[in-house]
Amino acid sequence: MSSKLYSEIEVTLETAIECGLSEAEYKRILEILGRTPTYTEIGVYGVMWSEHCSYKNSIKQLKTLPRSGHRLLVEAGEENAGLIDIGGGYAICFKIESHNHPSAIEPFQGAATGVGGILRDIFTMGARPIAALNSLRFGELDSPRTKYLLRGVVEGIGHYGNSFGVPTVGGEVYFQHCYHDNPLINAMAVGIVKVDKTASAAASGPGNPVMIVGSSTGRDGIHGASLLASREFDEKTDDMRPTVQVGDPFGEKLLLEATLELIDADVIAGIQDMGAAGISCSTSEMSARNGLGMEIDLDKVPLRENDMSAYEIMLSESQERMLVVIQKGKEEQAKAICDKWDVPLTTIGRVTGDGLIKVHRQGNYVAELNADSLVLGGGAPQYDPPAAEPAYIKKTRAFDPNYLTTTLTNQDIFWKLLASPTIASKRWVYEQYDSQVRTNTVNIKGDAAVLRIKELCGQGLLGEEFPAKGIAVCTDCNGRYTYLNPYSGAMSAVAEAARNVVCVGAEPVAITNCLNFGNPYDPEIYWQFKEAIRGMGDACRALGTPVTGGNVSFHNESQSHAVYPTPTIGMLGMIDDLDKIMSSEFKNEGDAIIILGNMREELGGSEYLKLVHGVVSGEAPVIDMQEEIALQKIVLAAIRKGIINSAHDCSEGGIATCLAEKSIASGGLGCNVSLPGFLTVGKLFGESQSRVIISISIDKIRLLKKMCDDNSVNYWVIGTVVPKYFFIKDCVKTTVRGLKETYENAIPDLMNEI
Amino acid sequence: MKFGIVVFPGSNCDHDAMYATSINAGCKAEYIWHKETQLPKDIDTIILPGGFAYGDYLRCGAIARFSPVMREVVNFAGKGGYVMGICNGFQVLAEAGLLPGALLQNTSTHFICRDVYLNVSSNATAFTSEIPDGKVLRIPIAHGEGNYFADEDTIRQLEDDGRIPFRYCDADGDVTEAANPNGSINNIAGITNKRGNVLGMMPHPERYSDIRLGANDGLNIFESLKKCLN
């Protein structure tokens, strides 16, 4: 092979700019190399230094987040996903990631490959995926574009997850105009792994063969990371549809089984999935983690089209591929495992000790790059862009919703809220997902999904009797709150996620985050980002839930506007005894209904304001972490002691909506409720944080009151559980059946309209 | 009593069938790889589990029927061995000709995952013997192509022979149009062959075989087989 570098074309500043690099970045590359890069090399720098791969505009902020804790087995950023010790020799691996830009231009494949990508992040660590969630944001549902996107995204998620065999157990769907052009598709996956069977994404052992396992490499997804995901939407975006990858869940299922067997057989010396930036990213990141290099012969890469150039092969984002380093001498064993699953395994190079990525194609030496110079934490740029408080914040903060008047009655407002797509039943969505495969799904209808951990459920498997263990998972973020106040809004997102797992009886242990923002070079956007990170960090420190990793998605904007800052939180909770879990619905006629927390009447950023007055304004709901922690402590203790019969977080649509949801889910029970003091719109529909509505048998009230008094948590006994009827004094009187009809039909009716 | 659970590439309910038959029903069970050309000698019942065999990119089950193991499954059934196809397994049995008819796309055109109720027509089969008279089973479905279709003669014959053990119904056991989730003719959720030793059903009994998950009506079916074959 030639040792003289070859470039198809003469690389200039213009070439670098076409690859998504800035002039300063190109100059830096010239300095690093001490020469002009080849065409392949500039392509590799383009993707590796893209926002998507390098986190260049976010890493300095991300480092301020709490990233360690006693249950954490790896720190954020070290491996493909976070790893949480759950005892008994097992760990939970979980992560959330965005696939916003691809889904905006090709919703089915965009969403499907989003799911595929996050699943690979989990099983590349040796963990078997046991649950998937997704957090979705669209424009208003009366728009044909939103219907098209919702249909495609839901089908895509179902197509991939159902076939792969992972249950989709939870998530959220919000509808708000700011997401019209740029929907948010955040996919989360959760897996389980034996602690001593985890695999590392660091290559080791110079001389070890480097192989690709899985699909062949095609022209799909080239520049997905550097151009599509790292810039705003404009009139050219539709032309970028070819940059969206195409998913093959069956291929991924086989890849999963083969990968887990390879890891189990101890033949691997490093493995990383190929997602964004494909071979470029996996070779350089795996090498750089151990200060090693790789020599790669692209002629050996199985191709879908033979005439692909080195540039194209290095940048392809074809799905369902992994890069593995196999321990020398164990190649045959590895081959036998892959043959069993009919998964191709091909040697494409070897690990070297010189720290260089050397690439050959058709007799030409096309790249010689220092691996460390390409990656985050190495030579990739890190910026600290200017930030400035957005002009709108002064206006929204000064806005007092209490001055607004409406001719609608409380009853009219109640029904309007219940039928709002953001609040109404998401059955139309979740019934298209297999939520039960792998038979671990205990309940998906509470505030968080509850899954059992079969490996820690006794029943003779481990030959001993002990309480069956489980986990709770959820995603949360109300973008309106973060828009009005990025700091407190992000805090609320963490607090609500924790509250949700607490409401099912789990202890919050760690989060993963997906940070969806606009263009980071706009100081107002960057201010939102910094403030949100600050709020998230403070909330996580207060709750003791470290950040295990996640994903940053900038450039979520169209020509007219950016999306609301949306830092989605994926929360993991631990359940030490599955016999002590809780669900949200009313259980028994005659139970007392109690609000725990506060009676603040905050309308800022509420669904009410948006729906009735068409405004997203005011101050975001107050969040006081000490109040929140005290509340969560009481709720969790009451569940574990078997004192209460239901628990449901009070969120969008306020107390009235929360009561309706508790009734609808009960299958026939309703309530007779009278709220204390003067009845206002704010009291009924305000969205104050740190509140949980519970139901409890009369004889246990005294116990609960004592717990509340001891912990300075406020409570209000507001009524009783009754059969069939739903009655809130001076607001609404109806039947539970009537509630259910409105709640269940809202989204199907809109989707059936043409 | 021993179950053999066939694993096709793309099967994804194989682990669930294993857990339900071994841990929940307390039977012996082992996996059978799709490339096998011989079945283990001591198998009493073969389960073709749910999933997306070969990705189901073609018609569901259309490729799986050509797996080497399927010849053995057909022979096994021919000799009177018990075979149970769940969801994708039902689709494979229909493609392999062990059961009549076909599973078309749901009328909603969507994949549907939800609990359904099953009216059990008879407990005179090996698959239903332990189901108490009149009991309505609550078992989930999870499929995009579960809409059972066959020509009129076949349907008449299935009806006349009493070969429709499970029909979609409401919570009270009434077989109504509203309770039909996918458009199946006569609310058919499961059928048997003439001899009564091959069952295909779209609902997933293995998913509701553990009370920890909220319901265990599915266990009735595995326990029926256990009782009959022990």
Side-chain angles (χ1 to χ4, degrees):
Chain A
M1 284 185 208
S2 166
S3 62
K4 189 171 173 298
L5 282 163
Y6 166 83
S7 185
E8 290 92 331
I9 58 164
E10 182 77 13
V11 170
T12 62
L13 174 61
E14 282 65 45
T15 330
I17 288 170
E18 277 166 26
C19 290
L21 295 158
S22 70
E23 187 173 349
E25 285 165 348
Y26 182 59
K27 276 189 183 154
R28 176 84 193 106
I29 291 166
L30 293 178
E31 277 170 31
I32 290 172
L33 293 175
R35 58 176 168 81
T36 306
T38 67
Y39 185 51
T40 305
E41 288 173 336
I42 199 69
V44 173
Y45 271 110
V47 285
M48 291 306 296
W49 286 14
S50 70
E51 191 66 62
H52 191 86
C53 292
S54 74
Y55 291 78
K56 59 189 169 190
N57 284 303
S58 59
I59 188 65
K60 286 192 176 179
Q61 299 303 319
L62 296 177
K63 282 186 174 162
T64 68
L65 292 169
R67 290 176 297 158
S68 56
H70 69 284
R71 286 180 188 264
L72 245 65
L73 295 175
V74 297
E75 278 202 17
E78 273 179 22
E79 294 286 351
N80 282 295
L83 207 54
I84 298 291
D85 191 351
I86 58 167
Y90 284 88
I92 292 289
C93 177
F94 73 122
K95 189 180 181 186
I96 189 165
E97 216 168 56
S98 65
H99 231 215
N100 307 338
H101 292 78
S103 304
I105 55 174
E106 214 302 278
F108 180 90
Q109 290 296 349
T113 52
V115 174
I118 195 66
L119 289 169
R120 278 195 302 286
D121 270 330
I122 300 303
F123 69 79
T124 191
M125 295 190 61
R128 180 176 283 281
I130 56 168
L133 299 91
N134 45 75
S135 176
L136 313 176
R137 303 287 182 285
F138 298 96
E140 300 296 343
L141 194 52
D142 50 11
S143 129
R145 170 172 164 83
T146 301
K147 290 179 196 184
Y148 155 75
L149 289 176
L150 179 66
R151 235 177 239 123
V153 164
V154 170
E155 252 177 58
I157 291 170
H159 165 72
Y160 211 101
N162 298 348
S163 174
F164 177 84
V166 65
T168 301
V169 298
E172 342 143 72
V173 192
Y174 281 80
F175 301 94
Q176 179 81 38
H177 181 70
C178 68
Y179 305 110
H180 179 85
D181 297 320
N182 192 139
L184 303 183
I185 310 304
N186 295 174
M188 172 168 158
V190 183
I192 185 163
V193 60
K194 261 190 176 161
V195 172
D196 58 359
K197 288 286 182 190
T198 56
S200 172
S204 62
N208 277 335
V210 175
M211 304 192 185
I212 288 186
V213 54
S215 289
S216 53
T217 298
R219 286 192 165 108
D220 51 332
I222 293 172
H223 279 306
S226 53
L227 297 187
L228 179 58
S230 299
R231 61 176 222 174
E232 291 75 54
F233 285 94
D234 56 27
E235 68 281 353
K236 288 187 192 146
T237 306
D238 264 354
D239 302 339
M240 299 189 73
R241 196 160 287 137
T243 66
V244 178
Q245 313 87 339
V246 177
D248 171 12
F250 171 60
E252 179 120 323
K253 164 73 173 160
L254 300 183
L255 185 60
L256 159 79
E257 300 297 345
T259 302
L260 293 186
E261 273 196 42
L262 288 170
I263 293 169
D264 194 50
D266 191 26
V267 299
I268 283 182
I271 177 165
Q272 177 162 331
D273 81 296
M274 284 195 243
I279 299 178
S280 298
C281 185
S282 51
T283 52
S284 55
E285 287 190 355
M286 286 186 73
S287 299
R289 283 194 182 97
N290 267 346
L292 298 171
M294 286 184 190
E295 182 143 25
I296 302 293
D297 181 0
L298 294 181
D299 294 352
K300 301 225 171 101
V301 175
L303 299 177
R304 294 178 195 168
E305 292 159 279
N306 283 329
D307 62 344
M308 287 174 71
S309 69
Y311 180 99
E312 290 172 316
I313 300 169
M314 288 300 283
L315 266 61
S316 163
E317 295 185 5
S318 289
Q319 299 287 292
E320 292 88 27
R321 300 179 299 164
M322 297 273 197
L323 192 75
V324 289
V325 176
I326 298 292
Q327 297 168 28
K328 212 173 167 64
K330 294 190 176 172
E331 295 91 338
E332 287 307 311
Q333 211 183 331
K335 188 86 177 70
I337 290 168
C338 291
D339 282 351
K340 174 186 162 191
W341 290 102
D342 295 322
V343 173
L345 176 74
T346 317
T347 305
I348 63 161
R350 63 187 179 89
V351 178
T352 60
D354 59 9
L356 297 175
I357 303 295
K358 297 177 179 167
V359 185
H360 304 271
R361 174 71 174 147
Q362 291 171 336
N364 293 317
Y365 188 27
V366 292
E368 180 185 289
L369 298 167
N370 181 305
D372 194 61
S373 77
L374 295 165
V375 304
L376 162 68
Q382 297 192 5
Y383 301 133
D384 201 355
E389 184 178 290
Y392 74 83
I393 293 237
K394 279 194 183 62
K395 270 193 237 161
T396 55
R397 235 177 233 159
F399 178 83
D400 183 353
N402 295 313
Y403 284 110
L404 292 173
T405 55
T406 170
T407 54
L408 296 177
T409 65
N410 286 341
Q411 173 148 318
D412 296 337
I413 298 167
F414 172 82
W415 288 112
K416 226 173 144 68
L417 282 168
L418 201 60
S420 159
T422 292
I423 287 176
S425 168
K426 306 301 182 299
R427 185 185 296 277
W428 186 92
V429 174
Y430 69 75
E431 281 196 347
Q432 296 191 51
Y433 306 147
D434 188 335
S435 54
Q436 298 172 316
V437 62
R438 300 207 63 76
T439 57
N440 296 316
T441 310
V442 175
N443 189 14
I444 58 164
K445 288 171 185 160
D447 288 10
V450 176
L451 296 150
R452 70 167 163 193
I453 301 298
K454 276 198 192 104
E455 291 79 356
L456 301 174
C457 275
Q459 300 205 356
L461 276 185
L462 297 177
E464 54 188 311
E465 281 299 319
F466 52 82
K469 281 196 180 186
I471 56 168
V473 279
C474 68
T475 64
D476 272 294
C477 181
N478 184 316
R480 286 202 291 263
Y481 306 162
T482 18
Y483 169 71
L484 297 174
N485 186 333
Y487 175 76
S488 74
M491 272 184 122
S492 291
V494 177
E496 184 178 350
R499 203 181 312 135
N500 283 338
V501 302
V502 162
C503 280
V504 300
E507 179 198 348
V509 294
I511 72 158
T512 172
N513 58 21
C514 192
L515 309 170
N516 307 274
F517 288 79
N519 182 347
Y521 298 110
D522 175 342
E524 297 197 343
I525 299 282
Y526 206 69
W527 183 87
Q528 292 176 336
F529 181 71
K530 282 177 95 165
E531 282 292 287
I533 293 285
R534 196 166 66 84
M536 186 181 297
D538 283 351
C540 286
R541 272 183 289 272
L543 289 165
T545 53
V547 181
T548 62
N551 158 249
V552 179
S553 173
F554 281 128
H555 303 282
N556 289 291
E557 52 184 278
S558 61
Q559 283 163 300
S560 59
H561 60 274
V563 299
Y564 288 166
T566 312
T568 308
I569 304 298
M571 178 67 76
L572 173 71
M574 271 305 300
I575 298 169
D576 286 333
D577 184 351
L578 273 175
D579 290 333
K580 293 172 183 161
I581 56 173
M582 190 43 60
S583 56
S584 63
E585 76 279 8
F586 290 133
K587 303 287 188 320
N588 312 305
E589 186 183 339
D591 275 1
I593 302 167
I594 296 179
I595 296 183
L596 299 174
N598 61 70
M599 265 302 167
R600 287 193 289 270
E601 301 177 13
E602 297 163 283
L603 286 171
S606 63
E607 185 72 12
Y608 158 81
L609 271 194
K610 177 197 146 185
L611 218 57
V612 174
H613 299 286
V615 290
V616 175
S617 197
E619 179 54 275
V622 167
I623 177 81
D624 172 341
M625 290 312 293
Q626 291 319 309
E627 177 190 45
E628 181 70 43
I629 287 166
L631 170 79
Q632 292 187 15
K633 188 178 161 195
I634 293 287
V635 174
L636 194 54
I639 292 169
R640 287 181 173 167
K641 289 182 183 160
I643 292 175
I644 59 176
N645 294 331
S646 72
H648 187 22
D649 164 43
C650 201
S651 59
E652 286 81 13
I655 292 173
T657 304
C658 181
L659 289 167
E661 288 168 349
K662 287 176 79 82
S663 304
I664 292 163
S666 75
L669 293 172
C671 61
N672 185 352
V673 159
S674 165
L675 295 181
F678 183 66
L679 195 67
T680 61
V681 164
K683 190 170 283 174
L684 282 165
F685 310 115
E687 299 178 7
S688 294
Q689 293 292 300
S690 313
R691 302 195 291 196
V692 170
I693 302 185
I694 61 112
S695 59
I696 182 169
S697 67
I698 304 288
D699 60 325
K700 303 252 173 70
I701 296 179
R702 188 196 298 260
L703 269 172
L704 184 71
K705 282 184 171 175
K706 175 150 190 343
M707 288 169 73
C708 287
D709 290 338
D710 290 350
N711 291 279
S712 308
V713 171
N714 292 318
Y715 54 86
W716 289 264
V717 181
I718 57 167
T720 313
V721 177
V722 300
K724 287 186 191 166
Y725 290 95
F726 184 80
F727 181 53
I728 300 176
K729 196 178 167 207
D730 299 327
C731 174
V732 60
K733 184 172 188 178
T734 183
T735 59
V736 176
R737 183 189 290 251
L739 290 182
K740 199 168 180 167
E741 266 175 31
T742 300
Y743 184 74
E744 292 285 357
N745 292 339
I747 290 181
D749 285 353
L750 279 167
M751 291 307 288
N752 290 336
E753 279 172 17
I754 296 175
Chain B
M1 169 60 187
K2 187 169 182 184
F3 286 93
I5 298 157
V6 173
V7 182
F8 296 108
S11 293
N12 62 30
C13 301
D14 45 346
H15 295 85
D16 304 349
M18 174 60 82
Y19 196 84
T21 52
S22 60
I23 303 290
N24 298 132
C27 297
K28 287 184 210 147
E30 74 172 270
Y31 293 118
I32 303 172
W33 186 237
H34 69 109
K35 290 177 185 168
E36 293 294 338
T37 50
Q38 250 187 331
L39 297 176
K41 294 248 170 337
D42 54 347
I43 298 291
D44 300 292
T45 300
I46 290 174
I47 294 180
L48 305 189
F52 290 69
Y54 293 91
D56 279 345
Y57 291 133
L58 199 59
R59 229 168 39 247
C60 298
I63 299 185
R65 63 166 287 216
F66 293 109
S67 264
V69 77
M70 281 309 292
R71 184 177 304 174
E72 297 311 305
V73 172
V74 171
N75 288 340
F76 180 81
K79 288 182 205 148
Y82 285 88
V83 178
M84 179 177 180
I86 302 169
C87 196
N88 192 223
F90 185 7
Q91 294 162 342
V92 176
L93 289 176
E95 285 290 331
L98 282 175
L99 290 173
L103 284 312
L104 309 182
Q105 190 180 40
N106 299 343
T107 43
S108 69
T109 74
H110 293 309
F111 185 96
I112 305 171
C113 176
R114 75 162 75 122
D115 286 4
V116 296
Y117 291 98
L118 298 181
N119 173 303
V120 184
S121 65
S122 144
N123 52 13
T125 80
F127 302 97
T128 56
S129 61
E130 289 299 295
I131 302 174
D133 266 338
K135 179 171 177 179
V136 176
L137 304 181
R138 179 162 70 95
I139 290 183
I141 54 166
H143 59 246
E145 287 92 9
N147 175 0
Y148 184 77
F149 178 84
D151 59 53
E152 276 180 38
D153 289 344
T154 307
I155 296 288
R156 195 177 310 119
Q157 201 158 20
L158 287 171
E159 293 282 4
D160 291 349
D161 297 349
R163 286 161 53 197
I164 308 173
F166 304 118
R167 285 176 217 262
Y168 302 110
C169 65
D170 61 21
D172 300 322
D174 294 326
V175 178
T176 63
E177 202 179 319
N180 187 340
N182 53 23
S184 292
I185 292 178
N186 295 0
N187 284 41
I188 289 174
I191 58 170
T192 62
N193 64 347
K194 266 194 189 137
R195 195 165 167 180
N197 63 323
V198 178
L199 166 75
M201 64 189 295
M202 288 313 295
H204 286 271
E206 81 284 11
R207 292 190 178 187
Y208 278 180
S209 288
D210 192 327
I211 200 64
R212 174 77 62 200
L213 305 185
N216 63 353
D217 288 357
L219 200 54
N220 285 152
I221 294 171
F222 301 116
E223 283 184 335
S224 297
L225 284 162
K226 184 178 170 184
K227 185 88 176 235
C228 280
L229 295 172
N230 260 347

